[in-house]
Amino acid sequence: MTLRPSDRSSAPRSEACRGDEGRTPADRNRSSAKRRSESGPTSEGDVETAEPATAGDPGSDRFIAAVAVDGEVLFAGPSVPAVLGVEREALLGTDLLDRVHPNDRDPVSDALSAVATDRTVTHRVRHASGGFVWVESVVDEELAPQFGGRVVTARRVDVDRAFPERFRQFLEYGTDLVTVVDGDGRVRYESPSIEEVLGYEQGSTVGRSPLGYIHPDDRERVTERFYHALDNPEAAPTMEYRYRTADGDWVWLESRTRSLPDDVAVGRLLINSRDVSERKARERRLTDRNERLDRFTSIVSHDLRNPLSVIRASMEMARVKEDTDPLERGERAVDRIDRLVSELLTLARQGSGIDEPTEFDLEGVVREAWGTAGSDDATLVVGADARVRGDRGRLRQALENLFRNSVEHGSTGSRTESGDSVEHSPTGSRTESGDSVERACEAAADLTVVVSATDEGFLVADDGPGIDPEHRESVFEPGFTTSAEGTGYGLDIVREVVECHGWTVGLRSNPGVADLPPQVPRPGGACFVVEAPGPDAVGAAEPWIDR
């Protein structure tokens, strides 16, 4: 039985015969005869290898073997030690599937048992060093009568010898990723930078299609241009897309594809890729900022017209009637314009990221925000404290907007529970007593605002009338308000500040007993809950709240 040409490696003859360079034809014939005599008697139907590699040839990158349907090795070629690092005799009688990587055993087994129609399998085989090498195995369709098994020709594909050593060293220190794919769209070579850029071990993607690693939202677009480049040698597309890393994350790659000449045996396409994730992040921030500026311009041009009209009408009425009472309406309109402009400028400037997060106590920033946005007619009660890593200035801004929302929409509400407590006045002074918080709050103010750390993050609640259930889904939408004096952008600012930290904010019907310390009142009005991970759940540089 002879090995058919279609079963041989597709490597060029100059590579296959590298071990014979510098020898005369007579020397090569004597070497071939010697190997045949060492491996046993031969006949016209015996297996012949396409390259005269020997166990002593350190450059051999392929070997031939006869393997039974159940995986038993019946014959091992002389190049086995050069590829796998084991002696031929040690391989005989063993199960080849035991040496195949567990994730690759099924396709190899199917090829040996004739279950698979594709007789070419790219898989990993264990080396004597304990690691794995990638090989491309071609399995003969028919059993070899001499051995009772199938002939398997295996060629290493994790180290492609078509790349000169000086170029290989250049690629090893390059930051760009170089990929070579064949006419079927499968990877033939990945440069060493794949470990730094994507986290994959070099050679681990050989034999696979790169399209399987592309983000689902980008796959259709990239697939179309990828196969167009395979079919059209003149095509040289440049694409940006998301690619899955070894850790399961996504990075943005910019890839430029070039067709290789037909006489180049290493593959069909050469793809140069680089990580452009930072650039894409800057582009997103710029786009986000431009959208905010556009929104600010649109709002200013529309929402400011009504209060300005009120001012003009009030002033005109005052002149006609010589009555200054209407001027009060104008003053209120001016105040609303001032606040509206301030909040819109905040939305336009703050962007989607945070700068230089720091660590601070929740109670400290809460009292700073209350000093700015609190009311003499309301009482602040701080429950459990927490350690926070984040943007202190922007978190204070979010708390100020939550406090203004409570003061504006709150009213005298019923106090629900009592107990010994430490009560805080709006100015930050502390009054310790054994009387109930209920009596202290009623004596001090019409509204109580509670801030406390929880197991999930922290909450801000008040004992006002609460939020109508039909409005709960809309309170964070830009421009939504139920107050004639409100701007509708305060809670939108809160949402954006929280989300830029990577946290979430939502509404809860009531705080619940488990979320607050025993001495803190349980207000039954609006309750905003911020949920954030703890320091152990995120990276050291990421925002967190440590309860």
Side-chain angles (χ1 to χ4, degrees), residues 83-95:
V83 179
L84 300 181
V86 297
E87 296 299 326
R88 300 169 60 188
E89 293 76 9
L91 194 62
L92 293 176
T94 63
D95 190 346

Side-chain angles (χ1 to χ4, degrees), residues 64-93:
I64 194 168
V67 184
V69 173
D70 60 1
E72 180 184 358
V73 178
L74 306 174
F75 169 82
S79 298
V80 165
V83 179
L84 300 181
V86 297
E87 296 299 326
R88 300 169 60 188
E89 293 76 9
L91 194 62
L92 293 176

Side-chain angles (χ1 to χ4, degrees), residues 332-349:
R332 289 196 298 270
V334 170
D335 291 340
R336 184 170 185 269
I337 290 175
D338 181 63
R339 180 175 169 186
L340 185 62
V341 170
S342 298
E343 292 185 353
L344 291 176
L345 285 174
T346 297
L347 284 171
R349 292 171 177 170

Side-chain angles (χ1 to χ4, degrees), residues 427-447:
T427 61
S429 61
R430 295 163 56 98
T431 303
E432 298 190 17
S433 69
D435 295 336
S436 68
V437 174
E438 176 182 0
R439 290 193 298 273
C441 290
E442 286 178 345
D446 294 331
L447 182 73

